[in-house]
Amino acid sequence: MSKIAKNSIKIPEDISCIYNDNILTVKGKLGEITLKVNEKYTIKNENNEIFVLPLNNKFKTDPMWGTTRAHVANSIAGVISGFSKTLELKGTGYKASISGSKLKLQVGFSHDIDYEIPKSVKVECPKPNIIKISSVNKELLGVVAAKIRAFRKPEPFKGRGIKYENELILRKEGKKK
């Protein structure tokens, strides 16, 4: 049995949760998220608390129970406060800028990289070497941050590339004579 899945999720008063046909819709001050819930589980909303319950006793040992509860909790947390990640560009001439709905990256290639930003994700460049990404959807935020980082992963010798804000790059020693 999952210890996480048995816990309820408290809903603030300014948030509305509607569950219909295995689809949970959460509306809050920052936006709206629709989440497809696994068909093995149902969601019960009572007294401003959400419970993720298995339809059958044999699903109580399934690890998807805790995962489903975590996705529901992340959806509620996303519409309350949102999620954000910060990426740093390290290297000579590495720059990022936003033009319209595209993120333009100059990361040492002979050409610029144009990345189309998804509609539910907000990207800012307060400095040319910092990219701030924010969204109400935690899963989509992680995917976008990983795709941007994959354009030029940090290399271990000089540490150049795109890295997360608090990521530690293990450095290697260069050649010895």
Side-chain angles (χ1 to χ4, degrees):
M1 301 243 314
S2 175
K3 294 179 181 178
I4 294 173
K6 288 190 250 175
N7 298 336
S8 67
I9 305 163
K10 292 191 180 5
I11 306 171
E13 293 177 9
D14 56 341
I15 300 222
S16 68
C17 296
I18 301 163
Y19 179 68
N20 245 356
D21 297 329
N22 285 356
I23 295 177
L24 178 71
T25 304
V26 182
K27 292 181 186 175
K29 63 180 180 180
L30 293 180
E32 178 180 335
I33 295 178
T34 57
L35 176 71
K36 187 173 185 325
V37 179
N38 194 328
E39 58 271 352
K40 297 176 185 176
Y41 306 101
T42 184
I43 293 179
K44 190 167 91 174
N45 187 355
E46 60 182 34
N47 299 333
N48 284 340
E49 284 187 315
I50 284 186
F51 294 94
V52 179
L53 302 171
L55 293 174
N56 195 335
N57 277 341
K58 69 179 181 179
F59 298 136
K60 285 189 175 183
T61 57
D62 190 1
M64 282 303 293
W65 187 20
T67 304
T68 304
R69 189 245 178 228
H71 284 304
V72 171
N74 285 338
S75 298
I76 292 171
V79 296
I80 294 171
S81 59
F83 298 104
S84 66
K85 288 191 182 218
T86 304
L87 298 173
E88 295 176 357
L89 282 72
K90 185 175 179 194
T92 307
Y94 285 20
K95 292 183 208 169
S97 62
I98 296 174
S99 59
S101 65
K102 291 192 179 201
L103 176 68
K104 183 178 179 184
L105 296 169
Q106 296 172 339
V107 285
F109 297 121
S110 62
H111 60 283
D112 296 345
I113 298 171
D114 289 333
Y115 177 71
E116 186 69 36
I117 302 168
K119 293 197 185 311
S120 60
V121 176
K122 183 180 174 193
V123 177
E124 300 173 335
C125 292
K127 293 182 181 176
N129 65 336
I130 293 178
I131 303 169
K132 290 191 177 188
I133 309 167
S134 58
S135 176
V136 295
N137 190 339
K138 189 174 186 179
E139 185 178 358
L140 182 62
L141 173 75
V143 168
V144 169
K147 279 185 182 178
I148 293 172
R149 182 182 180 270
F151 289 128
R152 181 70 99 173
K153 289 185 180 175
E155 52 97 10
F157 295 104
K158 292 187 178 178
R160 291 187 301 220
I162 303 172
K163 69 179 193 85
Y164 294 111
E165 181 181 34
N166 52 6
E167 182 181 9
L168 178 67
I169 306 299
L170 294 177
R171 303 289 292 272
K172 290 183 179 177
E173 190 175 344
K175 286 185 183 177
K176 292 184 181 178
K177 290 188 176 184

